Amino acid sequence: MSRRRACALFVLAVALLSYRLHAQSIVTYDRLLNAAKEPQNWLTYGGDYSSRRFSPLTQITPANVKSLGLAWMYQSPIAGSWQATPIVVDGIMYLTQRPNEVVALDAATGRAFWVYRHQNSPDLVVCCGSNNRGLAILGETLFMGTLDAHLVALDARSGRPIWKTAVAESGSGYSITVSPLVVKDKVIIGVGGGEYGIRGFIAAFDARTGKEAWRFYTVPAPGEPGHETWEACPPKSETYCDPEAWKHGGGSVWVTGSYDPDLNLTYWGTGNVGPDYAHEQRPGDNLYTASVVALDGDTGKLKWHYQFTPHDRYDYDSVQVPVLADINFRGALVKALMWANRNGNFYVLDRATGKFLLGKPFVRVNWMSGFDASGRPIQTPQPAGMPTYPAIQGGSNWYSPSFSTRTQLMYVSAWDEQGQLFGASPLEYQEGRNFTGGVNQPFVPMAGEPTKAIPGAPAIQGLIRGPINNWTDAAGHGAVLAIDPSTGEAKWKFNMIDVTDSGIVTTASDLLITGGREGYLHILDARNGSLLWKANLGAQVRQNPMTYAVNGKQYVAVIAGLSLTVFALP
């Protein structure tokens, strides 16, 4: 081949790829409302506003799934945990890599079009890791939150920055790791930093200008509804009590919420109270921490709330994804909000009113014994030296569940039989300093010694393990549970070798796709939990797998270690 011809072909190939990028149609608000009608795309963090992570795609089935093979891979140059869920728009994949880089890829080949790099402030203080969970899109603009608490708007075709807005002070512990949520003409985000004594909030910004439209504080100030739950210190206290605990009361928001356009309500889970464990220095229920808040999408006004763990002393962040569906509940069709909570309970609430409908443990729970008539948990704090279940990691965490409209089941990644020895260490707030106040120890029971911890247990009970998998069932185990939301009962359970930090996606062909910390991508039959196919990815899956299609071909995308791996049928 002549040099001239080779150059011409190269220029043609670049032009065709560039055409694909620039031929992408505009993502209107109407498209976001009807995201479920575009199964080839993945337009929001949760797939659509309901956060069901259910795909109508059917090309990959239980009958042919064993023929899945590698389609392409993309390797990130940045080391560390990678928790982003990609979005796919008309054949283009957009994703974030650590700490705050955005890359645009050809979703059929993995070819990179452009990379944007945000330079974070050197004074940032962040927990827990340099994570970013993804992007939102509206029109031709991408939106990303940053570790130094900025919101950035980018041109989706070129990666060129359009505007950047400072949301909070990163030196005080504020950060943004959440994937934004676009509602109408607004971009909604929450702030992280509960371990540093922030005062959490959810805020909306004009998508065109970056100007703040509204802000809702998850810890109310004096005179605001809910502030009375930050009770005054007793006249005489044996331990330190903070008379202004609300000012650094936590309530961070670090996982994306959901939206019901018919009710015009957006739902967000809030994190732990500050300090996490030194609970005696902050009397009261401490609203709106460890709660779900339903906010008006236009104004940010609170419509209702439900507190999963009043006066949280166990670090039971309630930032798990709120899943919305209309379900048959005890003979009636209910506008439900379903929640597999870190505190170990599965909940069903009426998403229009916040009414408590059901609460039931899906893992071992002993921090409470049941619910009163209003749905408030009846707490049973364990004596000193006795384990509390679940542990700090919780029954589930930030990784997304899935609800299948075909099976009418909720699928949850769970940690079971993991206990914790909780303790408190009172401390005074210092800006930008760790504000947890805990002296906690993982608990591993031994045969005949149910309250003794194995020496060295913290090394195998951390959220991140080493390359040698020394996890044992005595320290707890991971599983995928299929829960019937009308009863809270598990229909089936798929046990894993290790615990899991992976989310779930289900499809209209009754496939369930998830990962494991032992490094496998699993595809199960969503009807009965049987394993249909698995692949060793060589690293932990700490991300939400997803599926999409380009030119009629269905793909499955998952991130493990530093690699985004994409599978398809031959």
Side-chain angles (χ1 to χ4, degrees), residues 15-93:
L16 288 172
L17 289 169
S18 179
Y19 173 78
R20 173 178 289 184
L21 182 64
H22 288 271
Q24 172 185 289
S25 55
I26 295 173
V27 180
T28 62
Y29 174 60
D30 187 65
R31 288 185 71 183
L32 294 175
L33 283 173
N34 295 284
K37 297 179 181 179
E38 299 185 31
Q40 74 278 15
N41 291 322
W42 193 271
L43 298 180
T44 71
Y45 177 78
D48 61 20
Y49 280 139
S50 71
S51 299
R52 297 173 195 167
R53 295 189 61 84
F54 173 80
S55 170
L57 294 175
T58 59
Q59 187 178 90
I60 304 171
T61 69
N64 64 25
V65 68
K66 290 185 179 179
S67 298
L68 275 184
L70 178 66
W72 57 268
M73 293 181 69
Y74 170 80
Q75 286 202 319
S76 171
I78 312 299
S81 171
W82 200 1
Q83 297 182 0
T85 297
I87 61 173
V88 174
V89 184
D90 304 331
I92 309 300
M93 176 183 286

Side-chain angles (χ1 to χ4, degrees), residues 534-566:
K534 69 178 181 178
N536 189 345
L537 303 180
Q540 301 174 35
V541 180
R542 304 193 70 229
Q543 178 258 354
N544 298 318
M546 48 84 71
T547 186
Y548 63 93
V550 181
N551 296 327
K553 191 177 188 68
Q554 184 180 356
Y555 297 87
V556 172
V558 63
I559 298 172
L562 304 184
S563 299
L564 167 67
T565 306
V566 180

Side-chain angles (χ1 to χ4, degrees), residues 63-337:
N64 64 25
V65 68
K66 290 185 179 179
S67 298
L68 275 184
L70 178 66
W72 57 268
M73 293 181 69
Y74 170 80
Q75 286 202 319
S76 171
I78 312 299
S81 171
W82 200 1
Q83 297 182 0
T85 297
I87 61 173
V88 174
V89 184
D90 304 331
I92 309 300
M93 176 183 286
Y94 302 99
L95 72 156
T96 55
Q97 56 194 16
R98 285 161 64 105
N100 285 123
E101 298 188 358
V102 182
V103 58
L105 304 171
D106 186 314
T109 67
R111 186 257 190 183
F113 292 113
W114 54 257
V115 178
Y116 166 81
R117 295 179 174 90
H118 170 79
Q119 187 65 44
N120 282 296
S121 171
D123 70 346
L124 66 85
V125 178
V126 64
C127 173
C128 301
S130 300
N131 300 310
N132 185 283
R133 295 184 177 86
L135 303 156
I137 188 168
L138 180 67
E140 299 172 299
T141 306
L142 296 165
F143 305 95
M144 174 183 66
T146 70
L147 282 178
D148 59 354
H150 285 77
L151 182 62
V152 178
L154 307 173
D155 186 303
R157 303 190 181 201
S158 66
R160 177 183 60 85
I162 299 173
W163 52 255
K164 180 172 68 173
T165 296
V167 177
E169 291 292 331
S170 61
S172 299
Y174 288 89
S175 62
I176 302 175
T177 60
V178 63
S179 176
L181 181 70
V182 168
V183 171
K184 300 179 182 178
D185 60 349
K186 297 179 178 63
V187 185
I188 306 177
I189 54 91
V191 291
E195 280 68 33
Y196 295 98
I198 67 161
R199 183 187 176 204
F201 63 85
I202 301 160
F205 298 82
D206 185 282
R208 291 175 292 112
T209 65
K211 182 179 179 180
E212 184 172 312
W214 55 257
R215 178 177 294 204
F216 171 80
Y217 280 99
T218 57
V219 176
E224 296 176 349
H227 181 75
E228 69 280 0
T229 66
W230 296 80
E231 296 177 4
C233 292
K236 294 182 179 180
S237 178
E238 296 181 0
T239 61
Y240 170 67
C241 184
D242 185 354
E244 294 187 312
W246 69 272
K247 288 186 175 180
H248 27 266
S252 56
V253 177
W254 46 278
V255 174
T256 306
S258 304
Y259 175 63
D260 184 329
D262 293 332
L263 298 172
N264 194 31
L265 292 179
T266 181
Y267 308 90
W268 296 81
T270 64
N272 59 271
V273 63
D276 304 42
Y277 313 109
H279 61 97
E280 291 182 347
Q281 69 185 62
R282 44 171 177 82
D285 283 355
N286 307 136
L287 286 174
Y288 296 98
T289 65
S291 301
V292 53
V293 292
L295 308 179
D296 184 281
D298 296 326
T299 65
K301 298 294 185 183
L302 179 69
K303 179 66 180 284
W304 59 260
H305 77 278
Y306 174 81
Q307 191 170 34
F308 298 102
T309 313
H311 190 73
D312 175 25
R313 64 180 74 183
Y314 309 112
D315 196 24
Y316 288 160
D317 292 64
S318 292
V319 298
Q320 300 73 48
V321 175
V323 178
L324 314 182
D326 295 347
I327 64 171
N328 190 320
F329 185 81
R330 297 175 182 172
L333 188 66
V334 171
K335 287 184 174 295
L337 180 150

